[in-house]
Amino acid sequence: MKVVTTREDLRAARTGLDDLGFVPTMGYLHDGHLGLVRRARRECAGVAASIFVNPTQFGPGEDLTSYPRDLDRDLSLLEDSGVDLVWTPRVEDVYPSGFATNVQITGVTEVLEGARRPGHFGGVATVVTILLALMRPRQLFVGQKDLQQSVVLRRLVADLGLAEEVVVCPTGRESDGLAMSSRNIYLDDAHRQAARVLSTALRAARAAYASGQRDAATLRGTMEAILAAEPLADVDYVSLADPDTLVELEGPITRAAASLAVRVGRPRLIDNTLLHEDDPGLG
Ligand code: PAF
């Protein structure tokens, strides 16, 4: 496995790797990330990953400086998973002196996380544009856990032609349903127990949908009632939206993305599931 830092070394290491699958990360890897690597390994001849805690997607007061980091462990996990190339840039390798580009995507960035974290998706779109321009993969692999990010990145890649395809992989979950996230490390025991309420609420919406419930307000209400019963959960939003446009749905629905953002102690957790007729399970 080649590990490179500068753009120049990346360009040299990239030569000769055809049919590349790319997994961008901010490090502190968990099995959700490794699931993306495994999928890339199956679908592409070569696999590349990046580890970069991107400052431009963190707002003031967010956890940029305390974001968990463990580069040695991450590299050994990626090597064991069969990754060929890892880019671990410094800030100046991604944003060289005089950097003045800002990639903005309208519409799908303006609701949910985008409405609450101004500038977040501008930072994500800008860094992923740079990563893709330099890495030049055939396929980009991202997790459904960050549903809105996956919608934004599909838009970015379709608009700018930076890869052939974005592959959105199911959310990695702990045995009790909690969606894997690097920020779960912030949960103490009591809040870790309470955090199960997110997947419980999503499962309840899925069960209601499976038994024929199609009214958007009722499905939203099912999730809200479960979250309200957990005293340690401070709900930011409960959304039932179109999975492609993320426009909030009313009345009878056919397919939808149910998304939650809930502060449970220190971390603000997000999770989601898709409701549609050909349901593959809690993704
Ligand atoms: O999902 C993440 O870890 C980040 O938002 C990404 C896509 C690596 C961009 O910094």
Side-chain angles (χ1 to χ4, degrees):
M1 183 175 85
K2 286 184 194 160
V3 182
V4 294
T5 301
T6 64
R7 287 186 178 206
E8 200 185 350
D9 288 348
L10 174 62
R11 264 188 219 103
R14 171 70 186 80
T15 312
L17 282 175
D18 292 327
D19 184 31
L20 200 61
F22 175 49
V23 180
T25 82
M26 297 209 300
Y28 211 71
L29 303 180
H30 49 67
D31 199 57
H33 296 110
L34 301 180
L36 304 181
V37 170
R38 288 192 289 270
R39 178 83 179 266
R41 190 69 285 162
R42 285 201 298 277
E43 297 199 10
C44 301
V47 179
S50 60
I51 299 175
F52 179 60
V53 181
N54 173 37
T56 66
Q57 68 188 74
F58 288 78
E62 292 189 353
D63 57 348
L64 171 62
T65 48
S66 62
Y67 193 83
R69 291 161 168 90
D70 191 342
L71 185 59
D72 290 344
R73 181 174 168 276
D74 289 346
L75 291 176
S76 115
L77 288 169
L78 293 175
E79 178 138 47
D80 291 349
S81 306
V83 169
D84 300 291
L85 170 62
V86 187
W87 190 26
T88 59
R90 298 160 300 180
V91 172
E92 60 268 35
D93 298 309
V94 174
Y95 301 113
S97 164
F99 189 88
T101 300
N102 189 358
V103 180
Q104 290 296 336
I105 297 173
T106 55
V108 290
T109 58
E110 288 161 24
V111 293
L112 303 175
E113 293 302 296
R116 286 152 181 93
R117 302 179 66 190
H120 172 68
F121 285 120
V124 171
T126 302
V127 77
V128 174
T129 301
I130 297 164
L131 296 172
L132 291 174
L134 293 165
M135 202 57 94
R136 291 180 289 108
R138 181 171 67 80
Q139 289 183 313
L140 169 66
F141 292 83
V142 297
Q144 190 193 308
K145 155 80 172 27
D146 295 298
L147 175 79
Q148 188 172 12
Q149 174 171 278
S150 74
V151 172
V152 169
L153 295 182
R154 279 198 281 135
R155 186 73 267 151
L156 176 77
V157 166
D159 288 356
L160 301 187
L162 292 166
E164 266 178 36
E165 196 189 355
V166 179
V167 180
V168 182
C169 304
T171 302
R173 292 186 182 278
E174 306 291 351
S175 53
D176 63 359
L178 179 67
M180 290 180 184
S181 163
S182 306
R183 290 187 170 106
N184 289 350
I185 191 177
Y186 299 144
L187 292 164
D188 63 23
D189 288 350
H191 291 97
R192 171 65 186 78
Q193 290 297 311
R196 294 183 301 184
V197 74
L198 279 86
S199 58
T200 305
L202 293 172
R203 279 214 179 84
R206 295 169 54 77
Y209 180 89
S211 63
Q213 181 57 257
R214 293 291 183 274
D215 179 60
T218 308
L219 289 163
R220 231 179 257 116
T222 300
M223 295 186 279
E224 283 163 355
I226 289 172
L227 294 170
E230 172 48 69
L232 296 181
D234 181 8
V235 178
D236 186 351
Y237 61 77
V238 174
S239 158
L240 200 79
D242 179 284
D244 300 317
T245 63
L246 301 180
V247 170
E248 215 54 36
L249 297 170
E250 301 301 336
I253 61 155
T254 47
R255 50 198 281 281
S259 308
L260 310 175
V262 182
R263 190 167 293 282
V264 187
R266 181 172 166 202
R268 178 177 172 281
L269 304 177
I270 57 171
D271 199 355
N272 68 82
T273 192
L274 298 176
L275 305 177
H276 56 93
E277 306 280 351
D278 321 308
D279 189 353
L282 184 63

